Amino acid sequence: MQLPIFIENSRVPVVLSKVAPIKIWAINIGPFVWCRGALTESTKQHECIHWEQQKELLIFGFLVLYAFYYFKNLIKLKNGSDAYRAIPFEMEAFRNEHVNDYIKIRKRYEWLRYI
């Protein structure tokens, strides 16, 4: 079985968007990616980058650091959307979601470059 597992047309992002500072299209937690609709190749790549980050940090470490960077950025930037975009994990994923074969060439802990 190849991970992550993609689940399209899910209500999970819809429900989570009610408490999130952004409208969530797709979300990756552990080996699962839930998407509101059909996943594009760039969204799949974006979420695969998050899967690699989560494996590096044993999932729990990723979730803790993700929340830490979000709240740190929120205090600094005073805007939920801007705080989300400034999370190092998101910066790596957004910057490389269109790079062909990025997962194959990605160095471990590449997200550290974005701190």
Side-chain angles (χ1 to χ4, degrees):
M1 174 186 325
Q2 187 170 347
L3 299 176
I5 299 166
F6 296 105
I7 303 163
E8 296 180 315
N9 302 310
S10 171
R11 297 221 8 99
V12 171
V14 176
V15 172
L16 292 177
S17 289
K18 294 178 191 295
V19 296
I22 60 164
K23 181 179 176 182
I24 299 170
W25 175 253
I27 188 166
N28 174 274
I29 302 173
F32 301 98
V33 174
W34 293 276
C35 184
R36 286 177 180 251
L39 285 153
T40 64
E41 288 305 311
S42 63
T43 302
K44 284 182 182 179
Q45 172 116 324
H46 182 106
E47 299 304 332
C48 283
I49 293 167
H50 286 323
W51 172 236
E52 293 301 314
Q53 295 164 341
Q54 289 181 50
K55 289 189 307 185
E56 291 166 353
L57 296 167
L58 306 176
I59 299 173
F60 181 74
F62 173 87
L63 296 173
V64 169
L65 284 175
Y66 195 99
F68 168 77
Y69 285 117
Y70 174 75
F71 288 113
K72 177 183 171 209
N73 293 336
L74 186 60
I75 291 166
K76 179 180 175 184
L77 302 171
K78 312 239 186 300
N79 178 286
S81 183
D82 292 344
Y84 158 76
R85 287 279 186 165
I87 296 169
F89 303 117
E90 292 299 341
M91 293 173 70
E92 179 193 5
F94 278 115
R95 182 162 184 191
N96 296 290
E97 66 187 12
H98 296 291
V99 176
N100 290 335
D101 295 325
Y102 178 72
I103 295 300
K104 292 179 184 175
I105 62 170
R106 180 184 181 270
K107 294 181 177 133
R108 290 180 53 81
Y109 300 97
E110 187 68 19
W111 58 271
L112 289 169
R113 290 176 169 237
Y114 299 89
I115 294 177

